[in-house]
Amino acid sequence: MNADIADLPARAEQAAGGATSLDEIQRVSTDFLGKKSALAEAKKALGALDPDARRSAGQLLNEVRDRIESLLDARRHELSQTARVAQLETERLDLTEIRERTRLGHLHLVTQARDRLEDLFVGMGFTVAEGPEIEDDWHNFGALNFAVGHPARAMQDTFYVNYGEPESTLLRTHTSPVQIRVMQSQSPPIYSIMPGRVFRQDTADATHMPVFHQIEGLVVDRGITFADLAGTLEAFTSAYFGPGFTSRLRPSYFPFTEPSAEYDIRRPDGSWLELGGCGMVHPNVLLAGGIDPEEYSGFAFGFGIDRLALMRHGVDDLREMFINDVRFLRQF
Ligand code: DAH
C-alpha cells in the first residue's frame, strides 16, 4: 500500500497538468483527495494498524495530502492566470485604431486669422465688440457721414434687403456701423475692435468675394492724436507679421474720418501692400455716436481679414479659401 500511496503525488501532478480548466482541476481534486479516493481509503485502514505502524503511515498520508493540495493550488493559479490573459485579449479596445479612422479638423483659415487678430489687440488693451449683419441705412451710411446721394455710397455696392422702406435695410457693406453701436452703448474711453462678416455686390474673382470679413478698430479718449493711430498700427504690424515688417499711412478719403489714410505694410523684400483704411474719427461721427467732439477725439481703422490670411499663407486666389475643398484647407 505504501508504494501506491507514495506514487499518488506524481499521478496527481500528471492529471493536474492535463486539466485545462478550473472545473477539471476540481475533478482531479475529488479523484485524489475526495471521500472515495485512495488516500481516504488508506486513512480508513489506519485503524487496523498497530500504534507504531499507524503513526508512520499516518505521517506519510499527511505528507502526500499536503503535496497534492499544494500542486493542485499551483495548477489552479496557473489556469486562472491564463484565463485572465485570454479575457483581457478578447475585451481589448484599441483606441489608436479609432483615432486613425476619424481625422480631426481644425479652424478655418479666416477664423484662425480672426482669433489671432483678436489676441493681438486684446493684448494691447482692446475689447471685442460685434454688431448685426443686417443693418439699417443710418448705421451703415448716415451716421458715418455719408451724405444722401453722396457718391461715396456708390463706392460700396450694397445688397438691399426687401424690408421696410426701399433701400432702408441692407446687408452691412463694412464693419464701420459697429463703431456707431459701440459709441451709443458705452461712454469713452473706448478701445474696441469689431470683427465680422460684410457683403458687397461683387463678382467673385482672385481678389474679391461678395461675402468677406473685416476687422474694425475704434479708439475714443481725451487727447487722441494721429500719432496714436500711426503708433498703434506700427505696433500691430510687427506683432502680426513679424519684425521685418513696417507700415506707412498714405493720404486718402473716407467720409467718416478726417484726415483719412490708407494703411500699407512694407514686406521684407521691400514691396508695399495695401491692407485697409484708417483716420481720425470725423466730428459728425462722434456726434452720431452721442459723444462730444469738443471733449473727445479718436481714431478708427478697418482691414480685410481674408486678405491678411491670404498674405500670411501666400495664397494667390481668394476663392480658394471659400470653395471648402478639404485638400486645400487641410494645409493650414
Ligand atoms: N469701412 C471702410 C471700407 O470698408 C474701411 C475703413 C476705412 C474703416 C477707414 C475705418 C476707417 O474705420 O477709418 O472700405
Side-chain angles (χ1 to χ4, degrees), residues 156 173-174 176 179 200 214 216-217 254 256-257 277-279 300-302:
Q156 309 203 344
T173 58
H174 51 177
S176 302
Q179 288 187 35
R200 285 186 204 176
Q214 288 187 334
E216 195 82 13
F254 299 100
F256 38 90
T257 43
C278 60
F301 55 84

